């Protein structure tokens, strides 16, 4: 298992290529070599949509498999806990006037195959931007790809009339492979739009403009041509305080953070938030003032807004101390059981599991007369821990029932044995298992079944 400190120093961008250089256009054209000829299906179906494929198709069988998994629907996955924690934070803090309902709509069911318009054009991504390359994006056909970021839904959701929303889901990139990059990862996006009155909290009669009157106002490093200086300042303060509050809620207010200038095609100005983790600055999200052109094309003519996108894996790795991104995909109960039954707000640190295989044994017995189920469970766990020591990874009560006819109670436990040092054989586990059974019979008077 990789040492956490070492891994953190290698953490690269969680957001990948969208904030990457505007300047890399020359090499972009060269590097976009013809996609490798792959076996491709005539049709591809996903999330209730069907697409006819063409030569642009570059999905690998492995990435299709990842699409089928749906980690955010698994209750035990730490990413699900984190998603819920962030949603709870937003619902708790931001309410519609009157306070009865949450301000942000949560969109979790957006289809993962999106048009290239949604993924790139609507977001004003330059035609020669690196992110459009076949080597960076999974294409289903010329006009459709797997969403490479949750920003791909901004335009459609605004067009549908949503002003304030969170979008969460799995996104796909043909990226490098290391401890922090995986072809599929998860993002949480937020968009918040304001009318002038909402932004400035003005009272009747007061007026402050969000748009420049001058028709040929200039774009500057600090602002877009259409925005007034006041609007940008107000938006920046609201955006940054929203994210600083979120960071405090996740990492604690004592965690150091800093803002860094950034570039995204769909926001200006743009920023990244970094937090100090184990002595190193770590980038956790990208955000900015939304391009007015994007809002206008989605039919929003009288509002301004901000947006942010968070890489969930990146935050979960820090929050739960998970050293390798592949672990989120583990089906190993040694990993998943550490997050089972937790509330989203619970603080938990992951304890590395052994790389050696598990050995499973069950134990079933009748309880002695008059012993309550709960008392028995506590004693059983003590005995197992005592006799099995370091070889015990998990103990689960898998069945419990009362046999009315016989007037007896039964319990069954599943014990997961695993060593940190070596692969255990069934025979050696059996020796330990038998000693547990013996102790339960001798000390507590249970009858093995
Ligand atoms: N979509 C960007 C990325 O994946 C992050 C982002 C979202 C930046 C919203 C600004 C606003 O890199």
């Amino acid at each position: 298992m990789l040492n956490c400190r070492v891994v953190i120093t290698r953490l690269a961008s969680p957001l990948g290529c969208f904030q990457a250089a505007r300047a890399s256009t020359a090499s972009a054209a060269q590097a976009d070599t013809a996609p490798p000829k792959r076996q491709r299906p005539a049709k591809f179906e996903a999330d209730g949509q069907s697409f006819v494929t063409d030569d642009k198709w570059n999905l690998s069988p492995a990435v299709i498999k990842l699409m089928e998994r749906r980690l955010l629907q698994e209750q035990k996955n730490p990413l699900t806990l984190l998603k819920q924690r962030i949603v709870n934070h937003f619902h708790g803090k931001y309410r519609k006037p009157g306070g009865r309902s949450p301000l942000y709509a949560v969109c979790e069911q957006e289809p993962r195959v999106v048009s290239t318009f949604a993924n790139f054009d609507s977001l004003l991504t330059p035609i020669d931007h690196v992110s459009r390359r076949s080597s960076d994006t999974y294409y289903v056909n010329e006009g459709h790809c797997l969403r490479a970021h949750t920003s791909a839904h901004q335009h459609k959701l605004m067009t549908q009339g949503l002003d304030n929303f969170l979008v969460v889901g799995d996104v796909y990139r043909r990226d490098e492979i290391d401890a922090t990059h995986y072809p599929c990862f998860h993002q949480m996006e937020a968009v918040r739009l304001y009318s002038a009155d909402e932004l400035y909290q003005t009272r009747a009669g007061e007026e402050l403009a969000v748009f420049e009157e001058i028709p040929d106002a200039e774009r500057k490093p600090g602002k877009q041509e259409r925005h007034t200086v006041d609007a940008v300042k107000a938006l920046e303060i609201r955006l940054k305080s929203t994210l600083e509050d979120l960071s405090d809620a996740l990492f604690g207010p004592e965690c150091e953070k800093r803002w860094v200038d950034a570039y995204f095609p769909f926001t200006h100005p743009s920023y990244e938030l970094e937090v100090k983790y184990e002595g190193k600055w770590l980038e956790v999200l990208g955000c900015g003032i939304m391009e007015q052109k994007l809002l206008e094309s989605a039919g929003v003519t009288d509002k301004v807004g901000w947006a942010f996108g968070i890489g969930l894996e990146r935050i979960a790795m820090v929050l739960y101390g998970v050293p390798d991104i592949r672990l989120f995909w583990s089906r190993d109960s040694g990993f998943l059981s550490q997050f089972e039954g937790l509330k989203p707000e619970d603080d938990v640190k992951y304890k590395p599991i052994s790389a050696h295989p598990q050995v499973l044994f069950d134990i079933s017995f009748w309880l002695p007369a008059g012993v309550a189920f709960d008392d028995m469970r506590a004693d059983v766990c003590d005995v197992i821990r005592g006799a099995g020591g370091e070889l015990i990874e998990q103990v689960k009560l898998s069945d419990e029932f009362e046999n009315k006819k016989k007037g007896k109670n039964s319990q069954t436990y599943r014990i997961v044995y695993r060593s940190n040092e070596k692969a255990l054989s069934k025979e050696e586990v059996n020796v330990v298992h038998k000693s547990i059974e013996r102790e339960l019979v001798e000390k507590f008077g249970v009858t093995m079944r």
Side-chain angles (χ1 to χ4, degrees), residues 13-19 148-151 154 173 185 187 189-190 264 266-267 270-271 285-288 307-310:
S13 160
L15 303 160
C17 53
F18 279 90
Q19 80 274 54
H149 51 176
T150 41
S151 304
Q154 283 189 12
R173 291 189 198 166
F185 61 102
Q187 287 189 328
E189 185 98 2
F264 299 101
F266 35 94
T267 50
S270 307
Y271 318 95
L285 60 88
C287 65
F308 69 73
I310 303 179

Side-chain angles (χ1 to χ4, degrees), residues 23-185:
S24 51
T25 46
S27 58
Q30 284 167 14
D32 198 2
T33 46
K37 286 276 164 275
R38 283 175 195 278
Q39 285 264 321
R40 76 171 153 90
K43 265 203 204 153
F44 181 66
E45 287 180 18
D47 306 337
Q49 296 176 287
S50 179
F51 302 89
V52 175
T53 66
D54 63 20
D55 276 352
K56 194 86 181 178
W57 167 270
N58 64 356
L59 271 63
S60 61
V63 84
I64 295 173
K65 251 197 140 151
L66 294 180
M67 286 185 81
E68 284 159 11
R69 175 81 185 267
R70 317 250 38 185
L71 288 188
L72 289 181
Q73 282 167 22
E74 294 176 11
Q75 277 318 310
K76 280 187 253 183
N77 199 288
L79 296 173
T80 310
L81 284 176
L82 175 60
K83 172 200 85 178
Q84 200 53 51
R85 182 159 170 175
I86 299 176
V87 169
N88 290 351
H89 170 82
F90 274 90
H91 282 355
K93 217 170 151 76
Y94 308 99
R95 315 288 293 182
K96 286 189 180 156
R100 222 182 54 78
S101 42
L103 179 69
Y104 289 88
V106 180
C107 308
E108 301 190 62
Q109 302 300 336
E110 295 307 309
R112 291 157 308 158
V113 178
V114 295
S115 64
T116 47
F117 173 80
N119 201 64
F120 302 117
D121 306 289
S122 73
L123 295 162
L124 313 167
T125 307
I127 206 74
D128 48 10
H129 192 272
V130 284
S131 61
R132 292 187 187 249
R133 291 191 227 163
S134 291
S135 56
D136 285 53
T137 293
Y138 287 104
Y139 283 92
V140 170
N141 59 31
E142 184 69 39
H144 296 90
C145 59
L146 300 188
R147 64 179 168 202
H149 51 176
T150 41
S151 304
H153 304 298
Q154 283 189 12
H155 182 272
K156 190 188 97 182
L157 292 169
M158 286 191 294
T159 308
Q160 289 175 350
L162 291 183
D163 281 349
N164 307 301
F165 53 87
L166 301 170
V167 195
V168 56
D170 39 344
V171 302
Y172 295 81
R173 291 189 198 166
R174 301 187 74 193
D175 229 336
E176 61 221 83
I177 296 179
D178 63 20
T180 58
H181 291 83
Y182 204 68
C184 169
F185 61 102

Side-chain angles (χ1 to χ4, degrees), residues 266-300:
F266 35 94
T267 50
H268 182 74
S270 307
Y271 318 95
E272 279 161 7
L273 179 64
E274 297 184 343
V275 297
K276 194 85 160 275
Y277 181 66
E278 301 206 325
K280 289 258 174 327
W281 287 108
L282 180 70
E283 173 203 325
V284 291
L285 60 88
C287 65
I289 313 303
M290 295 174 80
E291 282 287 348
Q292 206 57 36
K293 231 175 124 182
L294 160 59
L295 268 59
E296 273 161 24
S297 77
V300 181

